[in-house]
Amino acid sequence: MIDLEAALRLLAGAGVEFIVVGGVAARAHGSTHLTNDLDLLYSRTPENIRRIASALAPYSPYLRGAPPGLPFRWDAETIARGLNFTLTTSFGDLDLLGEITGGGSYERLLPESALIDAFGVRVRCLALEPLIRVKRAAGRPKDFEVIAELEALKDERDNPKDSPAPQS
Amino acid sequence: MSEAGFPHALPDATRGVDGPLPVDPVIEAYKKDVDRTLLRENLRRSVEERLRDLMRLQRFAEEWREAAKKTFG
């Protein structure tokens, strides 16, 4: 579970360069699938790494699934030496990705992202077509349903049907 | 209003860059079971509404897990 409002406000407010990818990006595009973590593709520039380290430090980042008590130190050096981090934080589960399968780095996917406004901040989100490509490239059977839904969303967006809005 | 007719469809920065997505027969089979009514409803919502809905669903799932744990151990 992740408090998206807190996470996005924190990171955008700290000037961190990132692109929302994964299940939350799918949800932003209209997917109905449930996801419990926030996947972010982040820029690996030294300045951005410093910003991430500093912004997240007060929120107890720790390696998700690792036994408690490991000598894990959250700082810019640790981030620079690693690449992808699956973290627990006090606002929820956060995956910080330096690269993603089928998509590459932040800089590679930056032109394939769109700006979205949510919770009073403006953040970058991977656009629908590259999101489908990335999910396809990952090749995980568990993603088949999500990919099918994303492709259906693309169909609906590109060829909207004249159906009345559902009554709530 | 977006060109596609949904007010809150995100612009797709990559449309046409790498050409159309190739058809995958496995995905096509899964697409038959997608409930498009829900998708159309979501496309009419703002991005923030979609994300707030996700957080509500996460809370519900968490409460459900906790309740199940208390009941069934």
Side-chain angles (χ1 to χ4, degrees):
Chain A
M1 189 168 155
I2 175 88
D3 183 341
L4 293 172
E5 183 169 5
L8 295 178
R9 279 188 170 187
L10 170 76
L11 294 168
V16 174
E17 293 175 315
F18 64 88
I19 301 170
V20 179
V21 296
V24 173
R27 197 78 193 191
H29 284 289
S31 167
T32 61
H33 281 267
L34 177 62
T35 184
N36 285 310
D37 55 17
L38 173 61
D39 297 337
L40 301 178
L41 181 64
Y42 68 98
S43 167
R44 295 273 299 163
T45 64
E47 177 57 31
N48 200 52
I49 285 174
R50 275 194 293 275
R51 285 179 186 157
I52 294 170
S54 170
L56 289 180
Y59 299 91
S60 313
Y62 193 71
L63 298 172
R64 193 155 76 238
L70 287 182
F72 176 68
R73 197 177 59 182
W74 180 254
D75 58 17
E77 192 182 334
T78 297
I79 302 172
R81 285 185 176 175
L83 182 67
N84 295 341
F85 299 87
T86 54
L87 302 170
T88 58
T89 70
S90 54
F91 53 73
D93 292 345
L94 177 67
D95 292 356
L96 283 176
L97 309 170
E99 282 184 6
I100 53 176
T101 307
S105 66
Y106 170 88
E107 284 74 17
R108 161 72 182 78
L109 284 179
L110 186 60
E112 307 194 47
S113 65
L115 286 167
I116 59 171
D117 292 306
F119 313 118
V121 291
R122 178 166 282 192
V123 297
R124 291 205 163 268
C125 178
L126 193 58
L128 186 52
E129 282 196 24
L131 185 60
I132 294 169
R133 286 182 204 282
V134 163
K135 290 254 177 211
R136 279 190 177 196
R140 299 179 301 188
K142 71 168 192 167
D143 284 338
F144 288 172
E145 280 185 28
V146 178
I147 296 167
E149 193 188 49
L150 291 174
E151 292 193 8
L153 273 166
K154 184 178 175 305
D155 294 343
E156 291 294 327
R157 184 198 64 185
D158 295 348
N159 306 293
K161 305 289 184 300
D162 293 327
S163 61
Q167 301 298 309
S168 54
Chain B
M1 197 79 170
S2 76
E3 63 179 277
F6 287 110
H8 301 297
L10 268 68
D12 198 325
T14 62
R15 207 176 293 186
V17 167
D18 296 326
L21 289 163
V23 173
D24 180 330
V26 175
I27 300 301
E28 291 303 309
Y30 275 89
K31 273 167 84 169
K32 291 182 184 132
D33 294 324
V34 173
D35 183 347
R36 291 179 180 248
T37 315
L38 287 174
L39 302 187
R40 288 174 198 144
E41 190 177 358
N42 273 352
L43 282 170
R44 289 187 184 89
R45 294 177 170 156
S46 70
V47 171
E48 182 165 327
E49 285 170 332
R50 295 172 202 164
L51 297 182
R52 286 196 184 280
D53 192 50
L54 170 60
M55 288 196 289
R56 272 194 295 274
L57 198 57
Q58 287 175 341
R59 275 194 293 274
F60 174 73
E62 185 64 27
E63 286 168 16
W64 190 255
R65 270 194 294 271
E66 287 300 315
K69 201 189 292 179
K70 278 183 193 162
T71 308
F72 303 114

